[in-house]
Amino acid sequence: DGGITQSPKYLFRKEGQNVTLSCEQNLNHDAMYWYRQDPGQGLRLIYYSQIVNDFQKGDIAEGYSVSREKKESFPLTVTSAQKNPTAFYLCASHRDRTEAFFGQGTRLTVV
Amino acid sequence: KQEVTQIPAALSVPEGENLVLNCSFTDSAIYNLQWFRQDPGKGLTSLLLIQSSQREQTSGRLNASLDKSSGRSTLYIAASQPGDSATYLCAMRGNNNDMRFGAGTRLTVKP
């Protein structure tokens, strides 16, 4: 059935490592988003993409990178330049003026 | 950049009470507004979407209103139940398709 799948559910990163979070949707949605959520706080926009091969920085893009080579996929790489990456990461998508849907999130922890 | 504020940050009510959650935004040039629910450690579940041309939307015991001129939206929950306990988030989608969130209202409904 249709939806947004984020993987893995839990991810552990060593200091200085790059890690990639996966977000896949089979809803035929054009727009996709990445957010970061810290404990007890709202969602902060990292990157978003409206079409394939195009994306825009959000409010906290430093230390992160994305690609949008396929409509269905919008992976997020957390680079070693992100000094405090421990957080809950959420991916969302929508089509045109319709409602946005979210994946179940990836919890990233630095060890 | 759109700033979104939610008041109150937390709310505790007895079961059966009607309640109102507030969301305010700084830029009236919005595309639409969406209310979400988030359970602890989970992704977001869409509740209601209001387009910029609409004044309100209803789904079951939920009613959301939008007043662009005053930069406000409210989520009204009728006859609250313990199962309504969660964090409620509002999100504004701007005309360039960015989507920004308030910090949320944490609701507890006591039996």
Side-chain angles (χ1 to χ4, degrees):
Chain A
D1 39 310
I4 303 175
T5 302
Q6 289 188 241
S7 62
K9 189 173 181 180
Y10 298 97
L11 186 57
F12 297 91
R13 191 193 95 167
K14 293 182 180 178
E15 295 276 356
Q17 253 185 355
N18 292 356
V19 290
T20 298
L21 284 60
S22 171
C23 179
E24 304 273 334
Q25 53 94 4
N26 59 4
L27 302 167
N28 198 32
H29 286 175
D30 292 304
M32 297 187 74
Y33 302 78
W34 274 107
Y35 292 91
R36 170 182 172 138
Q37 187 176 35
D38 293 285
Q41 298 189 30
L43 279 66
R44 292 186 289 168
L45 182 62
I46 305 173
Y47 271 98
Y48 65 107
S49 168
Q50 300 187 62
I51 55 172
V52 173
N53 292 324
D54 186 52
F55 46 83
Q56 289 78 41
K57 291 183 179 180
D59 301 322
I60 55 165
E62 185 174 350
Y64 300 97
S65 66
V66 294
S67 63
R68 187 84 187 277
E69 297 176 1
K70 298 187 300 182
K71 189 175 187 178
E72 304 80 23
S73 178
F74 192 39
L76 174 74
T77 297
V78 184
T79 75
S80 57
Q82 172 48 243
K83 296 308 177 189
N84 184 24
T86 294
F88 190 45
Y89 290 86
L90 288 156
C91 177
S93 71
H94 70 80
R95 182 172 65 238
D96 198 29
R97 293 178 70 93
T98 63
E99 62 185 324
F101 293 96
F102 276 79
Q104 286 302 301
T106 293
R107 191 165 300 280
L108 174 63
T109 304
V110 173
V111 296
Chain B
K1 177 189 127 182
Q2 179 75 267
E3 300 286 344
V4 183
T5 304
Q6 289 188 247
I7 295 173
L11 182 63
S12 180
V13 300
E15 182 177 1
E17 207 165 276
N18 301 328
L19 57 101
V20 174
L21 308 180
N22 297 290
C23 174
S24 61
F25 47 95
T26 54
D27 186 353
S28 62
I30 67 167
Y31 201 59
N32 59 36
L33 178 148
Q34 193 167 355
W35 282 92
F36 294 87
R37 167 189 173 133
Q38 185 178 30
D39 293 290
K42 304 290 186 185
L44 277 64
T45 300
S46 176
L47 297 174
L48 289 164
L49 173 71
I50 310 178
Q51 302 295 349
S52 59
S53 58
Q54 298 174 320
R55 296 280 296 185
E56 65 179 283
Q57 284 286 337
T58 298
S59 176
R61 294 182 294 108
L62 305 180
N63 176 277
S65 68
L66 175 64
D67 184 344
K68 284 175 53 180
S69 62
S70 67
R72 291 184 183 179
S73 175
T74 61
L75 179 67
Y76 175 83
I77 303 177
S80 58
Q81 303 170 356
D84 295 330
S85 297
T87 297
Y88 290 81
L89 297 134
C90 67
M92 316 301 305
R93 196 180 306 170
N95 289 333
N96 59 354
N97 234 7
D98 57 328
M99 186 167 57
R100 289 188 165 81
F101 284 78
T105 294
R106 188 173 67 253
L107 173 65
T108 303
V109 181
K110 298 184 227 178

